[in-house]
Amino acid sequence: MTLFEGTENYIATRELSTAVNAAIHLQKPLLIKGEPGTGKTLLAYEVAHSLQKPLYTWHVKSTTTAQQGLYEYDAVSRLRDSQLGDARVGDLAAYIKRGKLWEAFESEEQAVLLIDEIDKADIEFPNDLLQELDRMEFYCYELRQTISARHRPVVIITSNNEKELPDAFLRRCFFHYIRFPDRETMQQIVQVHFPRLAQELMTQALSVFYNVRDVKALKKKPSTSELIDWIRLLLVAGITPDDLTDLEALKELPPYIGALLKNEQDTDLLTALRSRGRPY
């Protein structure tokens, strides 16, 4: 069995790689939680790339229903076509829109199925998928046909912890929490995005970034993706390591702070701390 160990574009810790491979071996959905911006969604793309498998993505919204992942029957279009005398009305399959689960189930080879941000939907949404994810099949009433997976897909489910997920659903998953990267791991992540970044600038940028994250009472701590955006802006502006070091003496906020902090409360908090001569 081919094992997932990360890719050239995705730095996976040993714990994360172990979780992915354990879920695949157990044939259970992998439930991924972690702070926003820690690469939960990207993981599915990189697993598919690493294992050379097709990827099907189902991005969940607040209005998403479990049925949409299976299929939708367009009764309105069929009624309209029957009134117009369209010959297709006798073919029910023409009015069935296949969902992402159906597509993954019918894949010619084992696929990776991403169910992204499952906690955005109604609380009953996970329970409505229990049988389909457990048995890897569902029944299409219109076609009077059971749709079974040709190959059991690798299912990766992400959650931002906005809602508690039902126990019955959790029992069917292998769980992993992506912890925020330590400085060594973060340096590897940054190097993937900026392979030519000077070590001195990286060291100073990471120092400022982690100092900002360490400020207590921040409403939203900056994430990995926001760090990448910030460093990109530093490079475009020609910011040097000395520029960042001088912030301590000048009692100024880091340049392009809007890439790291996303609300006025956190910006005001850092401004107040710097005016008192305290570090970020």
Side-chain angles (χ1 to χ4, degrees):
M1 180 181 69
T2 304
L3 297 179
F4 174 73
E5 297 178 344
T7 68
E8 61 182 10
N9 297 318
Y10 191 94
I11 303 300
T13 62
R14 184 172 61 179
E15 292 79 9
L16 178 56
S17 297
T18 299
V20 171
N21 294 319
I24 294 174
H25 179 73
L26 293 174
Q27 296 187 332
K28 288 181 175 288
L30 174 62
L31 175 60
I32 295 289
K33 292 186 179 182
E35 288 185 32
T38 50
K40 300 187 296 299
T41 300
L42 185 59
L43 173 65
Y45 289 82
E46 297 304 322
V47 168
H49 173 71
S50 174
L51 304 182
Q52 297 183 346
K53 298 182 183 296
L55 173 68
Y56 296 89
T57 60
W58 185 15
H59 299 288
V60 177
K61 302 178 181 179
S62 60
T63 56
T64 302
T65 65
Q67 182 63 39
Q68 291 171 331
L70 308 181
Y71 68 92
E72 293 180 274
Y73 170 53
D74 192 350
V76 174
S77 292
R78 185 166 183 246
L79 175 60
R80 183 186 63 242
D81 289 346
S82 67
Q83 293 171 339
L84 296 174
D86 195 314
R88 292 185 306 164
V89 295
D91 181 13
L92 278 174
Y95 301 93
I96 298 290
K97 179 183 178 182
R98 299 178 182 184
K100 295 300 181 180
L101 267 74
W102 189 328
E103 292 179 356
F105 284 4
E106 290 209 327
S107 174
E108 294 292 339
E109 58 181 305
Q110 186 185 41
V112 175
L113 171 63
L114 168 65
I115 304 177
D116 195 30
E117 297 188 325
I118 193 171
D119 51 326
K120 278 189 174 180
D122 184 85
I123 188 62
E124 292 302 322
F125 180 89
N127 280 335
D128 292 340
L129 290 175
L130 289 181
Q131 178 171 310
E132 288 76 12
L133 293 178
D134 201 18
R135 299 183 182 180
M136 286 292 154
E137 65 178 29
F138 62 89
Y139 188 73
C140 179
Y141 292 94
E142 288 76 12
L143 300 181
R144 299 181 182 179
Q145 177 183 353
T146 297
I147 309 299
S148 301
R150 295 182 180 179
H151 307 279
R152 191 179 189 97
V154 176
V155 181
I156 296 178
I157 303 171
T158 70
S159 170
N160 285 324
N161 238 1
E162 293 182 9
K163 294 189 185 80
E164 288 293 328
L165 299 175
D167 289 344
F169 178 81
L170 295 175
R171 284 198 302 270
R172 289 165 168 81
C173 298
F174 188 93
F175 172 76
H176 180 74
Y177 184 87
I178 298 182
R179 302 189 184 280
F180 197 81
D182 57 25
R183 294 197 185 207
E184 181 179 350
T185 303
M186 186 64 83
Q187 181 167 317
Q188 296 176 18
I189 294 172
V190 172
Q191 285 175 334
V192 167
H193 292 270
F194 307 103
R196 298 181 181 178
L197 181 64
Q199 182 61 46
E200 190 177 358
L201 179 58
M202 179 187 292
T203 299
Q204 191 58 35
L206 289 181
S207 178
V208 172
F209 173 75
Y210 277 99
N211 284 340
V212 170
R213 273 190 60 89
D214 288 342
V215 171
K216 295 181 179 180
L218 277 185
K219 187 175 181 180
K220 181 192 177 305
K221 295 179 181 294
S223 68
T224 304
S225 60
E226 288 159 344
L227 170 64
I228 300 304
D229 289 343
W230 183 55
I231 291 179
R232 182 172 290 109
L233 290 172
L234 297 182
L235 292 174
V236 169
I239 300 297
T240 67
D242 289 340
D243 292 331
L244 296 179
T245 304
D246 289 344
L247 296 175
E248 292 290 334
L250 297 174
K251 300 182 180 180
E252 292 182 0
L253 293 181
Y256 304 108
I257 192 65
L260 298 178
L261 301 181
K262 299 304 172 72
N263 60 74
E264 64 277 13
Q265 295 96 322
D266 289 345
T267 303
D268 290 345
L269 175 60
L270 249 65
T271 301
L273 291 176
R274 295 304 301 138
S275 67
R276 299 171 192 167
R278 296 174 59 182
Y280 306 121

